[in-house]
Amino acid sequence: MFDAILIEKTQAGQTVRLTSMDTAQLPAGDVLVEVAWSTLNYKDALAMTGASPVVRSFPMVPGVDLSGTVLESDNPAFNPGDRVVLNGWGVGEKHWGGLAGRARLDGDWLVPLPEGITLRQAMAIGTAGYTAMLCVMALEKHGVTPESGEVVVTGAAGGVGSVAVALLAKLGYDVAAVTGRLDESDYLTSLGARTIVDRAELSQPGRPLAKERWAGGIDVAGGVVLANVLAATRYRGTVAACGLAGGMDLPTTVAPFILRGVTLAGVDSVMCPKPDRIAAWQRLAKDLDFDKLDAMTTELPLADVIARTPDFLQGKVRGRVIVPINPALR
């Protein structure tokens, strides 16, 4: 038996509770994983609160991330004892996820954990950090280098933003961190941000083209914030967009694209092909400052996860929140 969070739906509505489960209850899959650590993400909060129709089938164990060791495998790529990490693939939405002591999964979804990263660190990185790395790689692919100029990161005090700031700073970029919580300025500076930008400066509709400022950007907000970032992006700059915390709309014009040659690069971490995932995790092992990662990470017991979820929707969470499941696993 093991503990798990379970989301159920009845005629009266959605419920979420901490319960005990047996391995036999797990859905189909060719690899059984003993979960060491999971995380609490914005999408998990949406799923558990029912604020958005994230969950596609019920009952559902939430948790879009997990790290652990293989217990059983019918997949030739994995053997018992292998350390693995999982991000996305609809886990926690369509297939039972990581907020449980065990998970049975499709082995093609799993990535071997690179040497140099512990199971705990893998979840301190999580989907947020893996997405941040994909965004950095997108900027590099489009020619944005540290010599290109300032790079802006929106939602900088959140999970994706915090890791993005730390990654960019270690790689030598001049980082401008956008936040609606100016009391987090010291935190963002400690991660490597050189400039702090009040989100209010980007939260109101602006001109189709603003003064050129940023060589590139990583945006988690969407909406008006992204429109204003694009308007102030330099000639042939690139903005990697990976989130919608500020809204799904994009009230912009074609001006940044046809007059300045700006590129808007969409970054999806959920269905990202496995070779790109492996490349991102290998880069994280090399390019992330793990002391800074530790500084942005807090632990939350599984029993306290449900009560904490509203904080994510209210923008009250700093950095990364990880959940110990079987923390003795290394």
Side-chain angles (χ1 to χ4, degrees):
M1 300 295 290
F2 54 85
D3 289 337
I5 291 177
L6 189 67
I7 304 173
E8 298 173 293
K9 194 169 187 178
T10 67
Q11 291 183 344
Q14 179 175 303
T15 63
V16 57
R17 60 191 173 96
L18 182 64
T19 187
S20 292
M21 286 188 176
D22 184 86
T23 304
Q25 295 176 257
L26 295 173
D30 58 5
V31 179
L32 177 65
V33 176
E34 185 169 13
V35 180
W37 295 83
S38 188
T39 66
L40 187 56
N41 293 296
Y42 185 79
K43 185 178 283 187
D44 299 319
L46 290 174
M48 282 185 272
T49 60
S52 180
V54 169
V55 178
R56 309 296 178 85
S57 64
F58 296 89
M60 177 59 59
V61 172
V64 302
D65 288 333
L66 66 85
S67 65
T69 59
V70 174
L71 286 174
E72 300 173 4
S73 176
D74 292 323
N75 187 300
F78 297 100
N79 296 302
D82 287 350
R83 301 185 316 142
V84 294
V85 62
L86 179 138
N87 312 107
W89 293 118
V91 171
E93 303 172 65
K94 297 182 289 184
H95 189 97
W96 286 14
L99 288 168
R102 290 184 174 184
R104 187 178 284 119
L105 305 156
D106 185 330
D108 292 340
W109 299 340
L110 300 172
V111 171
L113 191 61
E115 291 298 324
I117 300 180
T118 68
L119 292 170
R120 182 184 187 277
Q121 289 169 335
M123 287 298 94
I125 294 168
T127 284
Y130 146 69
T131 302
M133 188 74 250
L134 290 175
C135 289
V136 171
M137 292 164 65
L139 296 185
E140 293 173 340
K141 180 180 178 180
H142 287 89
V144 180
T145 68
E147 294 71 34
S148 300
E150 192 175 31
V151 173
V152 64
V153 177
T154 68
V160 175
S162 292
V163 180
V165 170
L167 280 169
L168 290 167
K170 186 176 180 183
L171 291 168
Y173 288 86
D174 181 355
V175 182
V178 179
T179 181
R181 296 175 280 167
L182 293 180
D183 56 337
E184 299 284 16
S185 295
D186 289 344
Y187 163 72
L188 293 169
T189 300
S190 73
L191 296 181
R194 294 189 185 179
T195 306
I196 307 299
V197 179
D198 188 342
R199 186 177 62 203
E201 296 181 25
L202 302 174
S203 297
Q204 299 301 317
R207 298 178 179 180
L209 287 176
K211 182 179 179 181
E212 293 180 66
R213 177 171 181 181
W214 294 300
I218 294 176
D219 176 69
V220 305
V224 173
V225 171
L226 176 55
N228 285 324
V229 167
L230 290 166
T233 298
R234 295 181 184 178
Y235 185 75
R236 289 205 167 180
T238 296
V239 177
C242 64
L244 46 72
M248 289 188 66
D249 62 326
L250 182 56
T252 189
T253 71
V254 298
F257 310 113
I258 66 173
L259 298 179
R260 290 185 181 162
V262 170
T263 295
L264 176 59
V267 173
D268 164 60
S269 61
V270 176
M271 304 303 293
C272 179
K274 192 167 183 176
D276 291 347
R277 292 170 181 265
I278 292 172
W281 277 98
Q282 290 174 341
R283 285 287 305 273
L284 285 160
K286 178 171 64 77
D287 292 334
L288 183 58
D289 185 326
F290 285 93
D291 288 335
K292 289 182 179 178
L293 178 68
D294 189 60
M296 71 176 76
T297 302
T298 57
E299 293 186 17
L300 182 69
L302 186 64
D304 296 341
V305 163
I306 296 171
R308 186 73 190 281
T309 53
D311 289 347
F312 280 77
L313 307 186
Q314 296 166 16
K316 295 180 179 180
V317 176
R318 170 206 276 188
R320 300 288 296 124
V321 176
I322 61 175
V323 182
I325 308 293
N326 293 294
L329 298 176
R330 300 297 177 185

